[in-house]
Amino acid sequence: MDNYRTKVQNRINILSLVAVGTALIYTVLTLYRDHLPDIPSFINGFHSGAFFGLELIVILFIVKFFRVRKNDAALKKLHIEENDERTGLIIQKAGSLGMVIVLVGLTVATIISGFFNTFIFFTLLGALLFILLVFYSLWIYFAKKI
């Protein structure tokens, strides 16, 4: 269990760096907003909400890992949850089906957007090609690894 306790401490350290790094990036971008292009208030609100949401989630995980690190029973319970084969299989199945649904939906959206706006068409096409590139790269990687 000491190895797992060290792993949890490493997670706390990494998440703390993520929280501080994200806060610094957001602060710098906010302070230098005058030098950046003007954006609609909706996008500004989205940025603020995404930042605060990410920070909240990271802080919740840090608090969770701090609590677990001090309690042996909770540490053992978390270890069992993370290494549960059934949960892993469920996540794999959901991820593979979700990927197919995303690819089909993005393909349909790309085709339909081509009738209305060229910029949106090429944006969606770029996103689709990127996702396909990542998907097939991982497929080839795991085919060789496993």
Side-chain angles (χ1 to χ4, degrees), residues 47-108:
H47 287 161
S48 298
F51 165 73
F52 288 117
L54 176 65
E55 287 292 315
L56 179 64
I57 290 170
V58 169
I59 289 170
L60 289 175
F61 272 107
I62 290 172
V63 168
K64 174 184 172 182
F65 290 141
F66 260 117
R67 287 183 182 161
V68 166
R69 186 183 60 156
K70 296 178 182 179
N71 185 346
D72 285 339
L75 189 67
K76 186 174 181 178
K77 183 180 176 184
L78 181 64
H79 183 269
I80 290 170
E81 284 178 16
E82 286 183 4
N83 295 309
D84 182 28
E85 293 173 1
R86 182 175 180 267
T87 304
L89 183 62
I90 290 170
I91 290 171
Q92 276 184 323
K93 294 291 184 183
S96 62
L97 179 61
M99 180 58 82
V100 170
I101 292 170
V102 166
L103 286 173
V104 169
L106 195 53
T107 302
V108 169

Side-chain angles (χ1 to χ4, degrees), residues 6-52:
T6 304
K7 189 176 183 179
V8 169
Q9 181 61 45
N10 288 339
R11 288 180 186 173
I12 291 171
N13 294 340
I14 291 169
L15 287 173
S16 298
L17 286 173
V18 167
V20 170
T22 304
L24 285 173
I25 290 169
Y26 184 75
T27 302
V28 167
L29 289 173
T30 302
L31 290 175
Y32 290 100
R33 181 78 240 155
D34 301 345
H35 304 298
L36 300 173
D38 288 333
I39 57 172
S41 63
F42 170 79
I43 295 175
N44 193 15
F46 179 82
H47 287 161
S48 298
F51 165 73
F52 288 117

Side-chain angles (χ1 to χ4, degrees), residues 96 99-100 103 130-140:
S96 62
M99 180 58 82
V100 170
L103 286 173
F130 176 75
I131 291 171
L132 285 171
L133 178 70
V134 170
F135 178 75
Y136 284 115
S137 298
L138 290 174
W139 187 341
I140 291 168

Side-chain angles (χ1 to χ4, degrees), residues 102-117:
V102 166
L103 286 173
V104 169
L106 195 53
T107 302
V108 169
T110 302
I111 293 168
I112 292 172
S113 69
F115 289 103
F116 299 102
N117 189 315

